[in-house]
């Protein structure tokens, strides 16, 4: 199932844009001086797949921005980018 919209912290429903995930990870990398950011598109693809899998069971569920953040953190840590994950969380 394609992820088309998400719910923000203030309950607005907005279009989902994976580029925002890439930008947030890139900013976390920049903050801790990680120069090799070639991994970002691949990990973003995995994050989107995980998000889509999470809504497969319940097609009525609208993903919250917090759900996205949790999955981003999980994927960064699973891939060994612990310091990026830490900075992303902050």
């Amino acid at each position: 199932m394609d992820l088309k919209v998400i719910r923000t912290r203030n309950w607005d429903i907005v279009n989902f844009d994976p580029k925002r995930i890439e930008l947030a990870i890139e900013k976390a990398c920049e903050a801790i001086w990680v120069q090799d950011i070639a991994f970002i598109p691949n990990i973003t693809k995995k994050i989107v797949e995980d998000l889509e899998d999470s809504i497969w069971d319940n097609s009525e569920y609208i993903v919250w921005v917090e759900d996205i953040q949790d999955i981003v953190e999980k994927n960064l840590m699973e891939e060994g980018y612990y310091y990026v994950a830490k900075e992303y969380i902050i």
Side-chain angles (χ1 to χ4, degrees), residues 7-76:
R7 188 176 303 273
T8 65
R9 286 183 183 86
N10 63 359
W11 290 71
D12 291 337
I13 296 176
V14 298
N15 290 329
F16 174 68
D17 182 4
K19 291 287 184 194
R20 293 187 68 158
I21 294 172
E22 289 184 358
L23 182 60
I25 296 171
E26 186 176 334
K27 285 183 178 183
C29 288
E30 289 174 1
I32 58 171
W33 300 287
V34 172
Q35 295 179 356
D36 183 5
I37 58 172
F39 72 94
I40 294 176
N42 290 332
I43 203 164
T44 301
K45 182 179 177 192
K46 175 74 169 85
I47 291 164
V48 171
E49 289 170 0
D50 286 356
L51 286 166
E52 289 173 346
D53 288 347
S54 73
I55 61 172
W56 184 255
D57 294 335
N58 184 356
S59 61
E60 299 296 316
Y61 182 72
I62 297 176
V63 174
W64 287 78
V65 70
E66 288 85 358
D67 298 328
I68 295 170
Q69 291 171 331
D70 291 345
I71 291 177
V72 169
E73 293 165 19
K74 177 181 85 69
N75 276 274
L76 286 169

Side-chain angles (χ1 to χ4, degrees), residues 71-88:
I71 291 177
V72 169
E73 293 165 19
K74 177 181 85 69
N75 276 274
L76 286 169
M77 289 187 285
E78 284 177 354
E79 295 297 321
Y81 297 103
Y82 302 107
Y83 293 111
V84 177
K86 182 178 178 181
E87 187 63 32
Y88 175 84

